[in-house]
């Protein structure tokens, strides 16, 4: 994803200055058996993310469709993740989007891109997350990153089948 800059979310409700936060980052790439246009449309259909990301539901703001909130988990043990589309574009045959995670728990950014796959009617999807999680011990960061990579690899396969 060329020409992109990081979003500074430290000033957007970043919580208490004394709150311990651990950064978790991961990237996953997957070839999915669908045309790049179809993969892109599924990825930018925020409401549909709940169909392919386990235990997740998404609501999109009626006032601003670039703002949406995902809840992941079960019942009252759900994590609220407010997000806003920051930028999207096309570089050559690659479409990309950048989303800021703006709280109240997770802060950071997500980027994803879609380009042509290696065979006809396939797409290469890349997903990258860098989030700051409160109260997570630093030593758990590699474990959480591994879980995130695995979850999104599986979820991208589910997206292609939905």
């Amino acid at each position: 994803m060329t020409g992109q800059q990081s979003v500074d979310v430290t000033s957007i409700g970043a919580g208490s200055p004394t709150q311990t936060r651990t950064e978790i980052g991961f990237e996953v790439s997957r070839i999915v058996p669908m045309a790049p246009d179809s993969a892109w449309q599924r990825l930018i259909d925020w409401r549909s993310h709940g169909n392919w990301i386990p235990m997740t539901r998404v609501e999109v703001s009626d006032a601003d469709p670039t703002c949406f909130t995902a809840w992941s988990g079960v019942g009252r043990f759900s994590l609220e993740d407010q997000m806003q589309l920051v930028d999207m574009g096309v570089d050559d045959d690659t479409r990309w989007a950048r989303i800021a995670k703006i709280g109240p728990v997770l802060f950071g950014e997500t980027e994803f891109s879609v380009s042509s796959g290696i065979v006809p009617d396939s797409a290469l999807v890349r997903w990258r997350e860098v989030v700051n999680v409160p109260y997570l011990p630093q030593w758990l960061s590699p474990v959480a990153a591994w879980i995130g990579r695995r979850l999104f690899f599986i979820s991208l396969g589910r997206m292609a089948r939905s």
Side-chain angles (χ1 to χ4, degrees), residues 1 4 27-28 39-46 49 52 68 83 85 87-89 94-99 109-115 124-129 152 156 159:
M1 294 179 247
Q4 297 180 43
E27 185 169 331
V28 65
W40 178 251
Q41 289 306 315
R42 289 222 183 119
L43 284 169
I44 63 170
D45 178 3
W46 315 123
H49 284 215
W52 45 273
F68 47 99
M83 294 170 268
L85 176 66
D87 201 7
M88 68 171 31
T94 302
R95 292 183 178 110
W96 55 267
R98 194 164 34 104
I99 293 119
E109 69 180 22
T110 298
E111 295 176 351
F112 56 80
S113 67
V114 176
S115 56
L124 171 61
V125 179
R126 290 190 173 105
W127 188 289
R128 185 181 76 81
E129 295 238 357
F152 275 90
L156 291 173
M159 178 201 70

Side-chain angles (χ1 to χ4, degrees), residues 16-114:
S16 164
T18 60
Q19 185 178 44
T20 304
R21 299 181 92 59
T22 297
E23 184 174 277
I24 299 169
F26 66 88
E27 185 169 331
V28 65
S29 297
R30 183 163 188 168
I31 299 284
V32 294
M34 60 192 316
D37 288 341
S38 297
W40 178 251
Q41 289 306 315
R42 289 222 183 119
L43 284 169
I44 63 170
D45 178 3
W46 315 123
R47 284 182 181 92
S48 78
H49 284 215
N51 296 335
W52 45 273
I53 299 175
M55 298 185 301
T56 298
R57 68 181 171 87
V58 179
E59 291 181 8
V60 178
S61 168
D62 291 330
D64 183 354
T66 68
C67 294
F68 47 99
T69 302
W71 286 270
S72 297
V74 178
R76 64 183 200 167
F77 299 105
S78 292
L79 174 74
E80 181 180 353
D81 186 7
Q82 294 179 14
M83 294 170 268
Q84 181 167 16
L85 176 66
V86 174
D87 201 7
M88 68 171 31
V90 179
D91 293 330
D92 299 319
D93 86 338
T94 302
R95 292 183 178 110
W96 55 267
R98 194 164 34 104
I99 293 119
K101 293 183 167 281
I102 55 176
V105 180
L106 301 177
F107 295 90
E109 69 180 22
T110 298
E111 295 176 351
F112 56 80
S113 67
V114 176

